[in-house]
Amino acid sequence: MEALLVRKLGDPTLPPNASENPSLDLSTSHPIPNLESPTSVRVRIKATSLNFANYLQVLGKYQEKPPLPFIPGSDYSGVVEAVGPNVTKFKIGDHVCSFVALGSFAQFIVADESDLFQVPDGCDLVAAGALPVAYGTSHVALVHRAQLRPKQVLLVLGAAGGVGLSAVQIGKACGATVIAVARGNEKVQFLKSLGVDHAVDLSSANVIESVKGFLKSRKLKGVDVLYDPVGGRLTKDSLKLLNWGAQILVIGFASGEVPVIPANIALVKNWTIHGLYWGSYKIHQPNVLGDSLKELLSWLSKGLITVNISHTFSLAEVRSYGLYYLLNP
């Protein structure tokens, strides 16, 4: 089968003509994985998403560092191609989706039936392949951890990115007032098309002034939940917008700078700070991930959320162009 292998760590976003040898190597004869147990299921992968975590994996800067060589990739969707003798939940031809720590940048993958989720009829398989990680992260953060309620004010940083877009949609599905922060008019217009209540374009506006103006116009006191996959200076500025009793969701640090949240201010204002490493729920509370993904698939089938697919690429194209082209189309 075809599979993308990381044989050495390095920057996968280097342009194709870079002097360094690429980090990603396309194998066209990688062994098709065998069924490992009586309850194993082999899936022919239809789609697998490119997440920021995958970039960090190839770079060697992710929290977990697998031994070389490895197949990167996390969430995926596909069609059941083979089942073990004790499998009861699925049959050949079923549409499924799931997530793994590694291994989805390939044509086939094997999973236990307990780790697979049925994709509802009518749901696009490509969309389902991009659902678990980005939307799962935001759903667990907003619904399970922050317990976001209707009419609360949600501030989403990095709102035009993968997890940002999912947080915006889940916030709206929960009935919250959603403020989205992004950079560039095209991104802001897209966020407005999703129904955000207010959008801040960082290329032309100050986040503090813009959000305060919106809150004043709506006679709102402040932000109840901060969703932060960015970090850096933007986090520092956003803290000035939070209500007493606000909740801070630490999702990631796309800016490259880990912010400092003053503990004395958190004490005085009774803030709750949630660190969220979504993948660790698989070990500690797998039922939370399962319930979350089931609800997300239900929302997807009902049209309450949509998955924005900006580009699609074959494994060979990823190898030929590297992530440089994928991230700079």
Side-chain angles (χ1 to χ4, degrees):
M1 70 172 183
E2 288 188 347
L4 281 175
L5 294 173
V6 177
R7 299 192 185 277
K8 71 165 192 172
L9 301 178
D11 188 352
T13 65
L14 292 175
N17 58 356
S19 58
E20 288 188 37
N21 291 326
S23 301
L24 295 170
D25 181 39
L26 177 66
S27 171
T28 58
S29 58
H30 199 77
I32 295 176
N34 295 318
L35 299 180
E36 300 169 348
S37 75
T39 55
S40 288
V41 176
R42 184 163 61 234
V43 177
R44 179 184 288 272
I45 294 177
K46 170 67 175 179
T48 178
S49 71
L50 174 62
N51 294 291
F52 188 60
N54 306 135
Y55 163 69
L56 293 178
Q57 284 175 339
V58 180
L59 202 60
K61 293 186 177 181
Y62 195 57
Q63 292 98 319
E64 299 168 357
K65 297 176 173 58
L68 296 170
F70 65 86
I71 300 173
S74 42
D75 48 1
Y76 64 91
S77 64
V79 180
V80 173
E81 195 256 355
V83 297
N86 293 350
V87 170
T88 59
K89 296 180 180 179
F90 302 99
K91 64 183 184 301
I92 293 173
D94 281 350
H95 288 188
V96 296
C97 68
S98 190
F99 53 90
V100 286
L102 297 166
S104 67
F105 286 9
Q107 284 185 302
F108 294 95
I109 197 166
V110 167
D112 190 83
E113 68 170 341
S114 63
D115 293 328
L116 292 173
F117 299 86
Q118 190 94 37
V119 176
D121 291 341
C123 283
D124 178 42
L125 258 186
V126 175
L131 187 76
V133 173
Y135 283 77
T137 295
S138 295
H139 187 273
V140 170
L142 294 171
V143 177
H144 176 68
R145 296 291 292 276
Q147 298 182 15
L148 184 66
R149 302 189 304 276
K151 297 184 179 181
Q152 283 191 312
V153 178
L154 168 65
L155 177 60
V156 180
L157 307 184
V163 291
L165 286 174
S166 65
V168 163
Q169 293 190 60
I170 290 169
K172 294 301 295 181
C174 291
T177 297
V178 178
I179 303 172
V181 180
R183 186 178 299 276
N185 181 63
E186 184 178 351
K187 294 177 180 178
V188 166
Q189 293 306 315
F190 180 68
L191 288 164
K192 288 181 178 178
S193 75
L194 294 177
V196 299
D197 297 275
H198 181 65
V200 182
D201 184 351
L202 292 176
S203 64
S204 59
N206 176 279
V207 66
I208 298 175
E209 294 175 359
S210 180
V211 174
K212 280 187 174 181
F214 168 75
L215 293 172
K216 184 177 180 180
S217 71
R218 291 287 188 92
K219 297 182 180 180
L220 297 168
K221 293 182 179 180
V223 170
D224 300 302
V225 179
L226 171 62
Y227 184 95
D228 182 14
V230 177
R233 176 60 185 268
L234 190 56
T235 301
K236 182 178 179 181
D237 289 344
S238 299
L239 295 179
K240 299 175 183 178
L241 301 165
L242 300 187
N243 260 333
W244 182 96
Q247 300 189 72
I248 301 169
L249 292 162
V250 181
I251 306 299
F253 316 106
S255 69
E257 181 182 345
V258 178
V260 175
I261 302 175
N264 59 325
I265 305 299
L267 182 152
V268 172
K269 294 197 172 184
N270 280 268
W271 289 342
T272 300
I273 303 167
H274 303 273
L276 185 81
Y277 178 23
W278 178 82
S280 64
Y281 273 84
K282 176 70 174 175
I283 300 171
H284 299 287
Q285 293 182 346
N287 60 305
V288 171
L289 291 189
D291 291 344
S292 171
L293 191 48
K294 288 174 184 176
E295 183 164 48
L296 285 170
L297 286 166
S298 173
W299 286 1
L300 184 65
S301 68
K302 296 174 183 176
L304 294 176
I305 56 174
T306 58
V307 179
N308 178 52
I309 307 296
S310 59
H311 300 84
T312 58
F313 299 88
S314 68
L315 292 176
E317 286 174 320
V318 178
R319 169 59 182 85
S320 298
Y321 299 113
L323 297 190
Y324 175 82
Y325 184 77
L326 274 66
L327 298 175
N328 300 276

